[in-house]
């Protein structure tokens, strides 16, 4: 009997180890399947991350291109404005020189007219000598009156350009 009971125990062990092997194979298959699924999800996440990085990189490149374009346009406008300012500065300088020359002429004329003009008993202006401009009578030639008692011409950039 012992022999039969040993066989019975041995066959139970064989059956148990066979079913344990089957259970182990099933667990192993499930683990492998789970690992494959996890690896597939990992690859999908990795690809999504790479796609996101590529999209972000393209967006940043586009932003940089727009900024470069904006900088180029702004630089061009700055150069144009600087050239315009240079021309305006030259014009202001030239106009100031003209104004100074006109003021000097006005001062010279006023000085000579005031020195050379006197009034007679009839309150008429007559010249007291030659001033280099020729003698004149204010009543006969009223245009000559514009030289008498004139103030200097005053101007500023604000007057000329409306600043």
């Amino acid at each position: 009997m012992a022999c039969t009971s040993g066989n019975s125990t041995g066959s139970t062990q064989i059956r148990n180890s066979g079913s344990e092997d089957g259970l182990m194979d099933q667990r192993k298959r499930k683990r492998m399947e789970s690992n494959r699924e996890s690896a597939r999800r990992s690859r999908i996440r990795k690809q999504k991350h790479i796609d996101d990085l590529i999209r972000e990189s393209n967006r940043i490149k586009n932003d940089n291109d727009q900024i470069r374009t904006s900088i180029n346009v702004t630089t061009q406008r700055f150069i144009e404005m600087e050239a315009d300012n240079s021309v305006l500065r030259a014009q202001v300088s030239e106009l100031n020189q003209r104004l100074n020359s006109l003021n000097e002429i006005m001062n010279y004329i006023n000085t000579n007219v005031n020195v050379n003009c006197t009034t007679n008993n009839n309150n008429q202006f007559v010249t007291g000598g030659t001033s280099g401009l020729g003698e004149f009578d204010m009543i006969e030639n009223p245009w000559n009156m514009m030289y008498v008692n004139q103030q200097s011409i005053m101007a500023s950039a604000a007057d000329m350009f409306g600043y």
Side-chain angles (χ1 to χ4, degrees), residues 62-122:
N62 288 338
D63 289 349
N64 283 343
D65 289 343
Q66 288 176 349
I67 290 169
R68 277 191 201 98
T69 302
S70 175
I71 288 172
N72 289 339
V73 167
T74 304
T75 302
Q76 186 63 34
R77 296 249 358 226
F78 173 78
I79 291 169
E80 290 170 2
M81 291 294 170
E82 193 64 32
D84 290 346
N85 283 342
S86 179
V87 168
L88 290 173
R89 280 188 211 103
Q91 288 175 346
V92 166
S93 176
E94 181 181 343
L95 290 173
N96 279 331
Q97 288 174 352
R98 286 183 181 180
L99 181 62
N100 289 336
S101 296
L102 289 173
N103 282 333
E104 287 176 13
I105 291 169
M106 293 294 292
N107 288 336
Y108 177 77
I109 290 172
N110 285 335
T111 304
N112 287 334
V113 168
N114 288 337
V115 168
N116 293 324
C117 291
T118 60
T119 57
N120 63 11
N121 291 338
N122 296 334

Side-chain angles (χ1 to χ4, degrees), residues 7-87:
N7 282 342
S8 141
T9 314
S11 71
T12 306
Q13 286 178 349
I14 291 173
R15 267 192 246 152
N16 283 343
S17 69
S19 72
E20 285 179 15
D21 285 342
L23 190 59
M24 290 295 237
D25 285 344
Q26 191 177 12
R27 286 182 188 165
K28 188 175 180 182
R29 266 186 262 126
K30 281 185 181 180
R31 192 174 43 232
M32 285 175 55
E33 195 174 306
S34 174
N35 285 348
R36 283 186 190 127
E37 185 61 26
S38 177
R40 185 183 70 76
R41 286 191 309 262
S42 176
R43 284 191 301 275
I44 290 172
R45 276 193 312 269
K46 183 178 178 181
Q47 187 62 45
K48 183 181 180 301
H49 183 67
I50 289 172
D51 292 344
D52 290 345
L53 290 176
I54 289 171
R55 273 194 297 278
E56 181 72 9
S57 172
N58 289 336
R59 187 189 63 78
I60 290 172
K61 286 177 184 176
N62 288 338
D63 289 349
N64 283 343
D65 289 343
Q66 288 176 349
I67 290 169
R68 277 191 201 98
T69 302
S70 175
I71 288 172
N72 289 339
V73 167
T74 304
T75 302
Q76 186 63 34
R77 296 249 358 226
F78 173 78
I79 291 169
E80 290 170 2
M81 291 294 170
E82 193 64 32
D84 290 346
N85 283 342
S86 179
V87 168

